[in-house]
Amino acid sequence: MIPVMEFRQFSEQQPAFRVLKPWWDVFTEYLSVIMLMIGVFGCTLQVMQDKIICLPHKISSGSENICEVNRSFFLQLQPNFSNGPGEMRGVKNDLDLQQYSFINQMCYEKALHWYAKYFPYLVLIHTLVFMVCSNFWFKFPGSSSKIEHFISMLCKCFDSPWTTRALSEVSGENPEEKDQKKSGTSRSTTPLSPEESSLEKTQSLRSIPEKIVVDKPSASVLDKKEGEQAKALFEKVKKFRLHVEEGDILYLMYVRQTVFKVLKFLVIIAYNSFLVNKVHNKVCCEVKEIQDVTGYTVFECNHTMAHLFSKLSYCYLFLVAIYGLTSLYTSYWLFYRSLKEYSFEYVRHETGISDIPDVKNDFAFMLHMIDQYDPLYSKRFAVFLSEVSENKLKQLNLNHEWTPDKLRQRLQTNQNNRLELQLFMLPGLPDTVFELTELQSLKLEIINNVTIPASVSQLEDLQELSLYQCSLKLHTSATSFLKENLKVLRVKFDDNKELPNWMYVLRNLEELYLSGSLGPDASKNIVLESLRELKCLKTLYLKSNLTKIPQSIVDVSSHLQRLYLHNDGTKLVMLNNLKKMTSLIELELVRCDLERIPHAIFSLTSLQELDLKENNLRSIEEILSFQHLRKLICLKLWHNGIMYIPEHIKKLSSLERLYFSHNKIEILPSHLFLCNKLRYLDLSHNDIRFIPPEIGVLQSLQYFSVTCNKLENLPDELFFCKKLKTLKLGKNSLSILSPKISYLTLLTHLELKGNHFEFLPQELGCCCALKRSGLIVEEALFETLPSDVRDQMKEM
């Protein structure tokens, strides 16, 4: 006898796969096991017992039907017990046992109906086909891998401590009490719309509370290792969703196997209902081929299993009918409901996690199947589809990694003499930052989805905030705090999300630095909104691609003192708005492709510093108009294409710093040195061959640079500028350094490298403030100095 356990391999799957088996699949599996037992039982009887027993039949010569059984003949077969015990009598056929066995076998093959012979085998085959078909989608290579990955992630998500913590945090109360409140209020008072009513019917999570959450605080404790595991789960779920939502192979496989089972059920019912009556107990057998062997051609046979097979067949038909009706219900469920879409509407409503996305295709189908097993699985799995939940987990991991002590070690003093913390490329902003109460400046670089909480109010000394390619949001209380306390804001952005809308309400902001694409075309650039609320704004820096000065800048023109416009080479053509900025004391127009000095600048009577770096200036004849700017002390015309300096420059008598480096100047006019207040003069990187002796007039000169020119000698009058502290003469064609260098007793930096000097004058020893580190010269040339001078310079 074949044990039933041998057939378990056709239906047995991994224990975890049970979550994808709805009640009808489980029910049909039990039906299949019963049908399998019927088939095995019938096959065992077929093999172990005699199939048919036959006796020869003597036919009268006048009989028309050889299978017409004479009732008296059968009576002769019955022993006569009425006369009491006596001699046993019967019909003698003169056949031995082997002949009877031969007759039984021949009649079994020739006379017995095929259905009566093969019924147990048909039951066994059909049942095995049912069992294989029911589990085919678990075995098919294209679907089994997806199912295995899904089940693996589902179990990990269900058991993850983060799931419990996330659901307990968003609920804010005992979930069971929350469900009771909902059932007692919202369901009783608010009528459901047809759409909501439909959703309630299809969404089986409606009545399932979160059973895993406990009230003890210890349940929400998540250590670092568990946090990392949950983080990995988020990544796996995200990638799996992208992969599975692309196709619907699981849905199609399940539909096909269900349709196949329905068709098979109809075929089995049809032919079995017709043939079940073909199983008879008495069979007439006529085999002419064996007359020479047995002496008979007609036999009367008894099918010993007929009665039992008849009962088993009716029982089998009943089980198949139940199996088929269950398959029909499955088909109705598959085609009536939209199984390629799955809505987490109720989960979002119950948990408060509003960003859980709806899913589609195979992902949706598997979740529908899970709901038939236990809707709680879908609810807990949904936590790992939420970006809000993922961000909270990242925040928790950040807090574990970045402790207050670790952050304090990164504190540095910035150029504004503020205590600054710089964080670079983190997945978020650690909450522990707001425990550094001594923090004055916070710099965040390439950090996405940053939210500054209300706890920022603990940073009472915070005055400066830098956001470089960061998408940042503020809590309402944080906005109020920054509105009152923030003095400096620096923002570097690439898209609209990185330009904070809340910056327009920072009424105490004094300095604003923006770097990104700004322009009037909103379809391509980010539009800068009005800054009129920034009543205290004094410094505005814009690094962008402007073609004109935005109106938003004009809104703050009455109190704006410093304006820095750094273009990316885009031509700035409309500068008339500059005339309205009468309070400006500093103006930078860098890389604006200016060919002439804008006339609007000459109206800025309060201007003290002007920088026109990296433009396309060739001529600066308009420099005469600068005489109206009485307060102008710094003029930067460097990195242009200026060929000469006009004589009108002598009118700028208030100038103290003048930058002409990186131009194409060949001749220095003597009128330049009539600007006798000059303290800083940079003429480096030009084509100058001669320095006029009038340079000696600049008695206030402290910095003078002619590096990278074509000078062959220096006027002695240069050394009459006794306040010089920095003198840069490098990369020229000088061969002699005058001993009058000794007049420059305040000199601290002297650059001589890249000339043709053969020796250095020993008078350098009179420059008491000059040390070896401040003397930029070849080492071999330095060795030409007397040893005592060298030792003096090497002293710290």
Side-chain angles (χ1 to χ4, degrees), residues 268-300:
I268 292 174
I269 291 295
Y271 87 82
N272 275 272
S273 300
F274 176 75
L275 296 175
V276 70
N277 293 324
K278 298 296 182 179
V279 182
H280 299 294
N281 189 33
K282 296 178 181 178
V283 180
C284 177
C285 175
E286 180 182 5
V287 185
K288 296 181 180 180
E289 292 84 354
I290 63 174
Q291 184 174 7
D292 296 337
V293 179
T294 62
Y296 299 92
T297 60
V298 179
F299 305 90
E300 288 294 332

Coordinates of all heavy atoms in Angstrom, one line a residue, residues 268-300:
I268 N -14.6 16.8 -15.4 CA -14.7 15.6 -14.5 C -16.2 15.4 -14.2 O -16.7 14.2 -14.2 CB -13.9 15.9 -13.2 CG1 -12.4 15.9 -13.5 CG2 -14.2 14.8 -12.2 CD1 -11.6 16.3 -12.3
I269 N -17.0 16.4 -13.9 CA -18.4 16.2 -13.5 C -19.1 15.7 -14.7 O -20.0 14.8 -14.6 CB -19.0 17.6 -13.1 CG1 -18.4 18.0 -11.7 CG2 -20.5 17.5 -13.0 CD1 -18.8 17.0 -10.6
A270 N -18.8 16.2 -15.9 CA -19.5 15.8 -17.1 C -19.4 14.3 -17.4 O -20.3 13.6 -17.6 CB -19.1 16.7 -18.3
Y271 N -18.1 13.9 -17.5 CA -17.9 12.5 -18.0 C -18.2 11.5 -16.8 O -18.6 10.3 -17.0 CB -16.6 12.3 -18.6 CG -15.4 12.0 -17.7 CD1 -15.2 10.7 -17.2 CD2 -14.5 13.0 -17.3 CE1 -14.1 10.4 -16.4 CE2 -13.5 12.7 -16.4 CZ -13.3 11.4 -16.0 OH -12.2 11.1 -15.2
N272 N -17.9 11.9 -15.6 CA -18.2 11.0 -14.5 C -19.7 10.7 -14.2 O -20.1 9.6 -13.9 CB -17.5 11.5 -13.2 CG -16.0 11.1 -13.1 OD1 -15.7 10.0 -12.6 ND2 -15.2 11.9 -13.6
S273 N -20.4 11.8 -14.4 CA -21.9 11.7 -14.2 C -22.5 10.7 -15.2 O -23.4 10.0 -14.9 CB -22.6 13.1 -14.3 OG -22.1 13.9 -13.4
F274 N -21.9 10.7 -16.4 CA -22.4 9.8 -17.5 C -21.9 8.4 -17.3 O -22.6 7.4 -17.5 CB -22.0 10.3 -18.8 CG -22.3 9.4 -20.0 CD1 -23.6 9.4 -20.4 CD2 -21.4 8.7 -20.6 CE1 -24.0 8.6 -21.5 CE2 -21.7 7.8 -21.7 CZ -23.0 7.8 -22.1
L275 N -20.7 8.2 -16.7 CA -20.1 6.8 -16.7 C -20.2 6.2 -15.3 O -19.9 5.0 -15.2 CB -18.6 6.9 -17.1 CG -18.3 7.4 -18.5 CD1 -16.8 7.6 -18.7 CD2 -18.9 6.4 -19.5
V276 N -20.7 6.9 -14.3 CA -20.8 6.2 -13.0 C -21.7 5.0 -13.0 O -21.5 4.1 -12.2 CB -21.1 7.3 -12.0 CG1 -22.6 7.7 -12.1 CG2 -20.9 6.8 -10.6
N277 N -22.7 5.1 -13.9 CA -23.7 4.0 -13.9 C -23.1 2.7 -14.7 O -23.8 1.7 -14.8 CB -25.0 4.4 -14.6 CG -25.7 5.4 -13.7 OD1 -25.7 5.4 -12.5 ND2 -26.3 6.4 -14.4
K278 N -21.9 2.9 -15.2 CA -21.3 1.8 -16.0 C -20.6 0.8 -15.0 O -20.1 -0.3 -15.5 CB -20.3 2.3 -17.0 CG -20.9 3.2 -18.0 CD -21.9 2.5 -18.9 CE -22.4 3.4 -20.0 NZ -23.4 2.7 -20.9
V279 N -20.6 1.0 -13.8 CA -20.0 0.1 -12.8 C -21.1 -0.9 -12.3 O -22.0 -0.5 -11.6 CB -19.4 0.9 -11.6 CG1 -18.7 -0.1 -10.7 CG2 -18.4 1.9 -12.1
H280 N -21.1 -2.1 -12.8 CA -22.0 -3.2 -12.5 C -21.4 -4.3 -11.7 O -20.2 -4.6 -11.9 CB -22.7 -3.7 -13.8 CG -23.4 -2.7 -14.6 ND1 -24.5 -2.0 -14.1 CD2 -23.1 -2.2 -15.8 CE1 -24.9 -1.2 -15.1 NE2 -24.1 -1.2 -16.1
N281 N -22.2 -5.0 -10.9 CA -21.7 -6.1 -10.1 C -21.6 -7.4 -11.0 O -20.7 -8.1 -10.9 CB -22.7 -6.3 -8.9 CG -22.1 -7.4 -8.0 OD1 -20.9 -7.4 -7.8 ND2 -22.9 -8.1 -7.4
K282 N -22.6 -7.6 -11.9 CA -22.6 -8.8 -12.7 C -22.3 -8.4 -14.2 O -22.9 -7.5 -14.7 CB -24.0 -9.5 -12.7 CG -24.3 -10.0 -11.3 CD -25.7 -10.6 -11.2 CE -26.0 -11.1 -9.8 NZ -27.4 -11.7 -9.7
V283 N -21.4 -9.2 -14.8 CA -20.9 -8.9 -16.1 C -21.0 -10.1 -17.0 O -20.6 -11.2 -16.5 CB -19.5 -8.3 -16.1 CG1 -19.0 -8.0 -17.5 CG2 -19.4 -7.1 -15.2
C284 N -21.6 -10.0 -18.1 CA -21.7 -11.1 -19.1 C -20.4 -11.0 -20.0 O -20.2 -10.0 -20.6 CB -22.9 -11.1 -19.9 SG -23.0 -12.3 -21.2
C285 N -19.7 -12.2 -20.1 CA -18.5 -12.2 -20.9 C -18.5 -13.2 -22.0 O -18.8 -14.4 -21.7 CB -17.3 -12.4 -19.9 SG -15.7 -12.6 -20.8
E286 N -18.3 -12.8 -23.2 CA -18.2 -13.8 -24.4 C -16.9 -13.6 -25.0 O -16.5 -12.6 -25.6 CB -19.3 -13.5 -25.4 CG -19.3 -14.4 -26.6 CD -20.3 -14.1 -27.6 OE1 -21.0 -13.0 -27.4 OE2 -20.4 -14.8 -28.6
V287 N -16.1 -14.7 -24.9 CA -14.7 -14.7 -25.5 C -14.6 -16.0 -26.3 O -14.3 -17.0 -25.8 CB -13.6 -14.6 -24.4 CG1 -12.3 -14.5 -25.1 CG2 -13.9 -13.5 -23.5
K288 N -14.7 -15.9 -27.6 CA -14.7 -17.0 -28.5 C -13.2 -17.5 -28.7 O -13.0 -18.7 -29.0 CB -15.3 -16.7 -29.9 CG -16.7 -16.3 -29.8 CD -17.3 -16.0 -31.2 CE -18.8 -15.6 -31.1 NZ -19.3 -15.3 -32.4
E289 N -12.3 -16.7 -28.5 CA -10.9 -17.1 -28.8 C -10.4 -18.2 -27.8 O -9.4 -18.8 -28.1 CB -10.0 -15.9 -28.7 CG -10.2 -14.8 -29.7 CD -11.3 -13.9 -29.4 OE1 -12.0 -14.1 -28.4 OE2 -11.5 -12.9 -30.1
I290 N -11.1 -18.3 -26.7 CA -10.5 -19.3 -25.7 C -11.3 -20.6 -25.6 O -11.2 -21.4 -24.7 CB -10.5 -18.6 -24.3 CG1 -11.9 -18.3 -23.8 CG2 -9.6 -17.4 -24.3 CD1 -11.9 -17.8 -22.4
Q291 N -12.2 -20.8 -26.6 CA -13.0 -22.0 -26.6 C -12.1 -23.3 -26.7 O -12.4 -24.3 -26.1 CB -14.0 -22.0 -27.7 CG -15.0 -23.2 -27.7 CD -16.1 -23.1 -28.8 OE1 -16.1 -22.1 -29.6 NE2 -17.0 -24.0 -28.8
D292 N -11.1 -23.2 -27.5 CA -10.2 -24.3 -27.6 C -9.5 -24.6 -26.4 O -9.0 -25.7 -26.1 CB -9.2 -24.1 -28.8 CG -9.9 -23.9 -30.1 OD1 -11.0 -24.4 -30.3 OD2 -9.3 -23.3 -31.0
V293 N -9.3 -23.7 -25.5 CA -8.6 -23.8 -24.3 C -9.5 -24.3 -23.1 O -9.1 -25.1 -22.3 CB -7.8 -22.5 -23.9 CG1 -7.0 -22.7 -22.6 CG2 -6.9 -22.1 -25.0
T294 N -10.7 -23.7 -23.1 CA -11.5 -23.9 -21.9 C -12.8 -24.8 -22.3 O -13.4 -25.3 -21.4 CB -12.0 -22.6 -21.3 OG1 -12.7 -21.9 -22.3 CG2 -10.8 -21.8 -20.9
G295 N -13.1 -24.7 -23.6 CA -14.3 -25.4 -24.0 C -15.6 -24.6 -23.9 O -16.7 -25.0 -24.1
Y296 N -15.4 -23.3 -23.5 CA -16.6 -22.4 -23.3 C -16.3 -21.1 -24.0 O -15.1 -20.7 -24.1 CB -16.9 -22.2 -21.8 CG -17.3 -23.4 -21.1 CD1 -16.3 -24.1 -20.4 CD2 -18.6 -23.8 -21.0 CE1 -16.6 -25.3 -19.7 CE2 -18.9 -25.0 -20.3 CZ -17.9 -25.7 -19.6 OH -18.2 -26.8 -18.9
T297 N -17.3 -20.4 -24.4 CA -17.2 -19.0 -25.0 C -17.9 -18.0 -24.2 O -17.6 -16.8 -24.3 CB -17.7 -19.0 -26.4 OG1 -19.1 -19.4 -26.4 CG2 -16.9 -20.0 -27.3
V298 N -18.9 -18.4 -23.4 CA -19.7 -17.4 -22.6 C -19.5 -17.7 -21.1 O -19.5 -18.9 -20.7 CB -21.2 -17.6 -23.0 CG1 -22.0 -16.6 -22.2 CG2 -21.4 -17.3 -24.5
F299 N -19.3 -16.6 -20.4 CA -19.1 -16.7 -19.0 C -19.9 -15.7 -18.2 O -20.2 -14.6 -18.7 CB -17.6 -16.5 -18.6 CG -16.7 -17.4 -19.4 CD1 -16.2 -17.0 -20.6 CD2 -16.3 -18.6 -18.9 CE1 -15.3 -17.8 -21.3 CE2 -15.4 -19.4 -19.6 CZ -14.9 -19.0 -20.8
E300 N -20.3 -16.0 -17.0 CA -21.0 -15.1 -16.1 C -19.9 -14.7 -15.1 O -19.4 -15.5 -14.4 CB -22.2 -15.7 -15.5 CG -23.3 -15.9 -16.5 CD -23.9 -14.6 -16.9 OE1 -23.8 -13.6 -16.2 OE2 -24.4 -14.6 -18.1

